[in-house]
Amino acid sequence: ADGSLWAWGRYGTGSSLLVDSAVPVLIGQGFQSVSADWGPLAIDNAGVVHQWMSGDFVPLPLTSVTQVSGVFVLKANGTVWNLLLPSPPGPVSVPGGPYLAIEGGDANFAIDANNQAWAWGNNTYGQVGDGTQNSVGAPKLIEGQFAKISSGTNHTLGLTLDGEILSWGGNNYGELGFSSSAPSLTPSRALIYRATHPLQIDLQGTGDGNVLNP
């Protein structure tokens, strides 16, 4: 909560000596978020994105950054930038937008202001969700409206605006939640049930009316 950043594991001391550490070691101050997916990457309190290089976080030429995920960053103006390709000369803008949230992984996703999801990346198992198994180079609109998306290694999960879970991609181990091992190339409803709660209504006054279940 105080913006301090800690690291552990391989090269976890944060020093130029690149010494492994089995316990958390303080490596920086003034950060608001961090992502260990790739790099890793961190955003400081000024909105500058930093990449972990040779035992230290090095600032990159991207400011007003609000989110990092995988090899992608989202700026406050809704633009998404790819930090991996090409290298050099530097970050490359992803087409489309403005976007409100991103999810970087084997398949990549960006959610726009209408909660529509745009997907691109590896699609070997159908994890992009466009109905094919062809890899997608630029953001492509997929079916549905989403509050959040999580990208796995060979499958994807999406949370809809009304609280349903949709899943798509590979399903060799039942990871899609279909009670079967059948894959899905498009977002499909997983067999996850919403919790129910008892409702009690106390009548007051002498009027009348109806209780509706939307």
Side-chain angles (χ1 to χ4, degrees), residues 38 41 48-51 53 58-63 73 83 91:
W38 178 86
L41 303 170
V48 177
V49 65
H50 296 243
Q51 182 181 351
M53 297 180 182
V58 178
L60 300 180
L62 283 175
T63 59
V73 301
L83 299 181

Side-chain angles (χ1 to χ4, degrees), residues 14 28 34 36 63 70 79-80 84 93 105 107 121 131 137 139 141 159 170 172 174 176 185 191:
V34 63
T63 59
T79 58
V80 175
L84 185 59
S93 178
L141 183 64
L159 175 66
N172 289 340
L176 297 187
L185 302 183
L191 299 178

Side-chain angles (χ1 to χ4, degrees), residues 25-53:
V25 177
L26 180 65
I27 60 172
Q29 298 277 7
F31 291 91
Q32 57 175 295
S33 66
V34 63
S35 172
D37 293 339
W38 178 86
L41 303 170
I43 306 174
D44 66 20
N45 290 336
V48 177
V49 65
H50 296 243
Q51 182 181 351
W52 183 259
M53 297 180 182

Side-chain angles (χ1 to χ4, degrees), residues 106-107 122 124-128 151-156 168-173 175-176 184:
D106 203 30
N122 183 25
T124 304
Y125 300 93
Q127 60 265 50
V128 165
S151 177
T153 302
N154 63 0
H155 75 292
T156 306
W168 57 99
N171 194 27
N172 289 340
Y173 303 98
E175 53 264 55
L176 297 187
S184 177

Side-chain angles (χ1 to χ4, degrees), residues 69-153:
S69 184
V71 300
F72 298 94
V73 301
L74 175 66
K75 296 186 62 173
N77 63 3
T79 58
V80 175
W81 295 79
N82 186 338
L83 299 181
L84 185 59
L85 297 173
S87 180
V92 175
S93 178
V94 173
Y99 300 112
L100 297 182
I102 57 174
E103 169 71 6
D106 203 30
N108 309 293
F109 299 85
I111 299 176
D112 64 21
N114 296 317
N115 291 103
Q116 294 178 304
W118 299 79
W120 68 99
N122 183 25
N123 197 26
T124 304
Y125 300 93
Q127 60 265 50
V128 165
D130 67 341
T132 75
Q133 291 178 273
N134 303 319
S135 293
V136 179
K140 184 176 184 179
L141 183 64
I142 64 173
E143 181 181 352
Q145 288 183 297
F146 298 91
K148 184 174 177 58
I149 289 179
S150 180
S151 177
T153 302

